[in-house]
Amino acid sequence: MRSEGSPQRRWWHVDPAGSALGLVLAALSVTPSLLPRPTLLQGAIAALAFGLGYLVGTALTALLRSRIGWRPTVVGRRRWWIGYGVAWLAALAGLSALAVAWQNEVRQAVEMPPLPGSSLAGFLAGFLPFAVLLLAAGKGVRRVFVALGRRRGRLAGALGAIAVVVLGLALLAGGALAAVDSIYAARNGTPDADAVEPASTYRSAGSASAVAWETVGRHGGNFLAGGPSAAEITEVTGAAASEPIRVYVGLESAPTLAERARLAVAELQRTGGLERDVLVLATTTGSGWLESQTVDAIEYLHAGNTAIASMQYAYTPSWVSFLFDPDAPVAAAKELFDQVYAVWQGLPPDARPQLISYGLSLGAHGSQAVFADVADVRARTDGALFVGSPNGSTLWRSLQASRDPGSPAWQPILDGGREVRWLSRPDDPQPPGEWTHPRVLYLQHATDPVTWLGPELLWRSPEWLEPAQRAPDVSPSMIWIPGVTAAQVTVDMLMGESVPAHHGHNYGNVVTAGWRAVTGDAGLDDTAVASIEAVIAEYADIRPFGE
């Protein structure tokens, strides 16, 4: 029988130490995190963790064997492999059971039903094929290394193998990026076929608008074609309503950022947006999306006496935009705000609309970057609503770090809530002191991975996992594991909106209360506000997975 280190060993051979370490990492990968994951995806993640552990384990084995001359007998090896096979099967069964059990614990924390027993099959369907594929790829690289080593020496072989891997990864990354760019350019570049170009003079791309319909993109088209009419607002609230104004400038509507902002200002002037009670400057997410629950809620609250202005800066998802052009939302938000602010400031003080800054997710990052600090926000606006702020936003981080002692990271209190407050649910208890105007409000969930994924999570246990800081909807079994927790929360970002409201990156349940706290309303009574909340709650077109 050939030795362990022989390059001619059978293709189905697996290294014991490598697979043992791989299974340990796979088990760590299925431990609870902020949000539940589909079992198929969890299986694939566990396979990736297994592959990483296998790579490290086999490297350590090779190093040890090169320094230890002892080898087991043929009989000893046979007994070892029998025991090893039995242990492998037992470990795989245990891993599958743990994956489902821990996912059910997380699902319970975020008010989702438990997974059925058949989910074990889903986990294995994700784990086994991907693990085999990774092992095959690793063995292929090893064969390249051995072949090059024979011809050119060990060092040259190692360098050659590394070059093959790096080139392969580069080609894979480049191809993936090109594919993402192509897919989302086609998907978000033009309005949906079933979106109807507005005829209203109160909408961009409508009658007499300088914005061409075909340039506003998919999400811009849905924003301009959607939203409640004056009649619908009256039906829900019982109040006489105006037609809401919506201004949106697409990425292709004008050649440069400055020109797109000027076009937005011109659209506000044309539609009469500067004469409304409330003017919201909204920064979109990476793809140009404005969340319908949020933008519709303020139109209902103010009986349509509103104007919302926004412009597109990309057509890729937020994570792509953030990775490859993180300055885009910041530049867009600043340009739009500065140009609108210059015109707004020139109006008579008693004739200005409330000027409100708003952003969700990457949009919140861009909107916050307009201002140097909270004092600047309050000096140049009449209020701000930042929803699901990314962890990297400078303003958010500074406020979190300055919170009053004893207040938890997920629901902080700053200076007794005098200028800035945080809200997760409409009925959250608030500080007893006065909340002065202009008001700045953050909508923030304890289980929102967008908010809690920061670089420090790689090497330091976060405050929000400490027993005194842990929120009720964070799994009690979630623990910080160096490197692993950061990877888990990164994956959680994919699931951010696939959970019920008041969890994850889903804020539909609290946006009406948020707007009302910052901007007030059109004198509506509690019955009318409850009717608005009921209508907004029905928008939940993103259903929790597994339901």
Side-chain angles (χ1 to χ4, degrees):
M1 181 176 288
R2 292 182 174 90
S3 67
E4 168 75 12
S6 173
Q8 289 84 26
R9 64 189 180 186
R10 294 180 175 89
W11 64 269
W12 46 261
H13 177 95
V14 289
D15 182 82
S19 56
L21 183 56
L23 284 171
V24 169
L25 290 191
L28 293 178
S29 75
V30 303
T31 57
S33 58
L34 290 174
L35 298 176
R37 299 183 285 273
T39 50
L40 187 67
L41 175 62
Q42 179 61 80
I45 294 168
L48 186 61
F50 172 80
L52 178 61
Y54 188 88
L55 175 65
V56 175
T58 52
L60 292 175
T61 299
L63 181 64
L64 289 173
R65 289 178 70 85
S66 67
R67 287 164 170 74
I68 299 175
W70 176 84
R71 297 291 185 273
T73 65
V74 173
V75 174
R77 279 198 295 265
R78 185 176 296 117
R79 290 174 177 172
W80 160 260
W81 281 110
I82 292 172
Y84 175 73
V86 172
W88 226 102
L89 291 174
L92 188 59
L95 179 65
S96 304
L98 281 174
V100 173
W102 276 330
Q103 284 301 300
N104 279 338
E105 184 176 290
V106 179
R107 290 173 71 90
Q108 182 180 14
V110 297
E111 303 174 76
M112 292 178 67
L115 294 168
S118 59
S119 297
L120 287 170
F123 174 81
L124 291 174
F127 177 78
L128 289 174
F130 195 24
V132 170
L133 180 64
L134 290 172
L135 286 173
K139 288 176 179 292
V141 171
R142 181 184 180 279
R143 288 182 180 275
V144 171
F145 165 73
V146 172
L148 290 173
R150 284 175 173 172
R151 293 183 180 182
R152 302 180 181 276
R154 186 176 296 272
L155 177 60
L159 293 176
I162 291 171
V164 169
V165 172
V166 170
L167 179 60
L169 291 175
L171 290 174
L172 182 63
L177 182 59
V180 167
D181 186 77
S182 176
I183 289 169
Y184 284 99
R187 182 178 180 183
N188 295 332
T190 56
D192 284 334
D194 57 353
V196 179
E197 181 177 353
S200 172
T201 58
Y202 298 111
R203 303 287 174 109
S204 291
S207 178
S209 174
V211 176
W213 172 248
E214 62 272 12
T215 68
V216 298
R218 175 188 174 214
H219 294 304
N222 291 336
F223 171 68
L224 294 173
S229 65
E232 289 169 331
I233 293 172
T234 298
E235 183 180 356
V236 171
T237 65
S242 305
E243 288 292 340
I245 291 173
R246 292 189 171 192
V247 167
Y248 191 99
V249 178
L251 196 60
E252 303 299 324
S253 299
T256 67
L257 193 63
E259 289 176 284
R260 291 194 287 274
R262 282 196 293 272
L263 186 53
V265 171
E267 284 289 282
L268 282 173
Q269 293 170 325
R270 179 188 67 82
T271 57
L274 295 169
E275 300 165 14
R276 292 300 176 97
D277 282 354
V278 180
L279 170 57
V280 177
L281 298 186
T283 306
T284 70
T285 63
S287 58
W289 182 56
L290 290 171
E291 201 275 321
S292 58
Q293 288 178 297
T294 309
V295 293
D296 288 12
I298 194 167
E299 292 174 340
Y300 277 112
L301 277 172
H302 288 274
N305 200 346
T306 58
I308 302 173
S310 187
M311 63 185 195
Q312 184 183 21
Y313 54 85
Y315 48 74
T316 49
S318 290
W319 66 269
V320 178
S321 300
F322 184 77
L323 281 176
F324 296 101
D325 195 4
D327 295 330
V330 174
K334 285 184 174 180
E335 189 68 41
L336 180 62
F337 184 89
D338 289 346
Q339 290 204 31
V340 172
Y341 182 74
V343 176
W344 176 86
Q345 199 175 30
L347 299 173
D350 59 353
R352 296 172 182 164
Q354 286 190 66
L355 183 61
I356 306 297
S357 178
Y358 159 73
L360 163 69
S361 194
L362 192 58
H365 174 70
S367 292
Q368 290 177 83
V370 171
F371 309 102
D373 50 30
V374 168
D376 190 27
V377 178
R378 301 178 79 239
R380 294 199 287 155
T381 73
D382 294 297
L385 182 67
F386 302 129
V387 182
S389 174
N391 186 274
S393 298
T394 303
L395 180 59
W396 177 87
R397 290 177 72 92
S398 67
L399 296 176
Q400 288 280 143
S402 303
R403 70 183 189 275
D404 295 350
S407 63
W410 66 277
Q411 199 170 47
I413 297 174
L414 178 65
D415 295 333
R418 186 172 61 88
E419 297 176 344
V420 185
R421 293 192 179 185
W422 284 258
L423 197 64
S424 181
R425 300 190 180 206
D427 57 354
D428 279 346
Q430 292 297 305
E434 181 185 5
W435 188 6
T436 59
H437 290 275
R439 292 176 170 181
V440 178
L441 178 62
Y442 285 86
L443 301 186
Q444 178 167 294
H445 290 331
T447 52
D448 187 349
V450 173
T451 296
W452 305 116
L453 179 62
E456 302 89 349
L457 202 55
L458 285 167
W459 62 83
R460 186 172 66 222
S461 180
E463 291 179 290
W464 45 269
L465 279 181
E466 295 175 4
Q469 296 255 359
R470 189 182 296 253
D473 54 346
V474 174
S475 168
S477 297
M478 183 179 180
I479 60 172
W480 177 75
I481 305 170
V484 174
T485 302
Q488 288 178 321
V489 177
T490 300
V491 174
D492 285 343
M493 292 179 69
L494 301 175
M495 305 294 111
E497 292 168 353
S498 297
V499 290
H502 52 256
H503 300 291
H505 202 54
N506 190 343
Y507 291 89
N509 70 305
V510 72
V511 290
T512 302
W515 280 127
R516 198 181 189 198
V518 173
T519 68
D521 56 49
L524 304 179
D525 57 25
D526 290 342
T527 300
V529 173
S531 296
I532 295 171
E533 290 176 335
V535 169
I536 295 300
E538 294 175 355
Y539 282 37
D541 53 349
I542 302 176
R543 296 294 181 185
F545 53 79
E547 291 189 357

